[in-house]
């Protein structure tokens, strides 16, 4: 499933990313072992783009994903999202570190603002770019 026809280049990194991914909203409502098994089966089938957010199950979804991607992190294009209420510069950095800890990884491939909130987008943009999510990608850093 991960051939040229099922992937697209992502942003300035041009990394090939699966066009169909696996979401995790409400995944914590399923039995954890079953959810992990389903996510791993998706990875086996080429669904290597996994999307989550700090708000999904108050972080529980990220913990389930951590189990599913254990030993397979380099196969996954991992996306998480910060809540608008946490999207100040300090809040974004703290939320990102908590997500990284729950996901048991040192990096996210994409870190998004879940939806627009009270903090100016310019502030969100710079903190997102300087967060731990982007350590591996100096091209996206703010000046």
């Amino acid at each position: 499933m991960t051939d040229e026809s099922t992937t697209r280049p992502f942003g300035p990194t041009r990394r090939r990313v699966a066009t169909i991914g696996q979401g995790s909203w409400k995944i914590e409502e399923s039995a954890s072992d079953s959810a992990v098994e389903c996510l791993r089966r998706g990875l086996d089938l080429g669904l290597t783009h996994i999307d989550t957010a700090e708000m999904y199950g108050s972080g529980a979804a990220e913990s389930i994903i951590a189990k599913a991607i254990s030993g397979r992190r380099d196969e996954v294009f991992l996306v998480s999202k910060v809540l608008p209420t946490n999207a100040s510069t300090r809040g974004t950095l703290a939320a990102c570190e908590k997500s990284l800890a729950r996901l048991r990884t040192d990096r996210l491939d994409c870190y998004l603002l879940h939806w627009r909130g009270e903090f100016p987008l310019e502030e969100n943009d710079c903190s997102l770019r300087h967060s731990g999510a982007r350590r591996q990608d100096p091209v996206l850093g703010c000046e």
Side-chain angles (χ1 to χ4, degrees), residues 67-126:
K67 293 175 189 169
I69 66 173
S70 179
R72 301 182 74 170
R73 176 61 184 95
D74 290 340
E75 296 174 46
V76 176
F77 187 85
L78 188 56
V79 178
S80 193
K81 300 182 250 351
V82 62
L83 281 166
T85 54
N86 292 336
S88 66
T89 299
R90 266 195 188 149
T92 298
L93 296 174
C96 182
E97 289 301 324
K98 289 176 186 174
S99 288
L100 291 169
R102 284 189 294 268
L103 289 160
R104 289 189 241 144
T105 187
D106 63 344
R107 68 196 185 281
L108 292 168
D109 299 298
C110 184
Y111 194 45
L112 304 171
L113 176 61
H114 210 131
W115 64 85
R116 202 170 175 166
E118 67 180 278
F119 295 103
L121 289 178
E122 297 77 20
E123 181 175 342
N124 298 140
D125 182 56
C126 208

Side-chain angles (χ1 to χ4, degrees), residues 54-68:
E54 65 173 330
M55 72 172 280
Y56 298 169
S58 298
E62 291 175 326
S63 297
I64 291 168
I65 289 168
K67 293 175 189 169

Side-chain angles (χ1 to χ4, degrees), residues 2-4 6-20 43 46-51 69 72-80 105-111 133-137 139-140:
T2 55
D3 63 23
E4 286 285 313
T6 60
T7 63
R8 298 284 183 269
F10 181 78
T13 68
R14 309 304 290 164
R15 177 176 171 190
R16 303 285 314 172
V17 177
T19 54
I20 298 175
L43 292 175
L47 299 173
T48 55
H49 172 181
I50 297 179
D51 177 88
I69 66 173
R72 301 182 74 170
R73 176 61 184 95
D74 290 340
E75 296 174 46
V76 176
F77 187 85
L78 188 56
V79 178
S80 193
T105 187
D106 63 344
R107 68 196 185 281
L108 292 168
D109 299 298
C110 184
Y111 194 45
R134 298 289 176 102
R135 277 184 219 131
Q136 80 285 0
D137 192 357
V139 173
L140 298 177

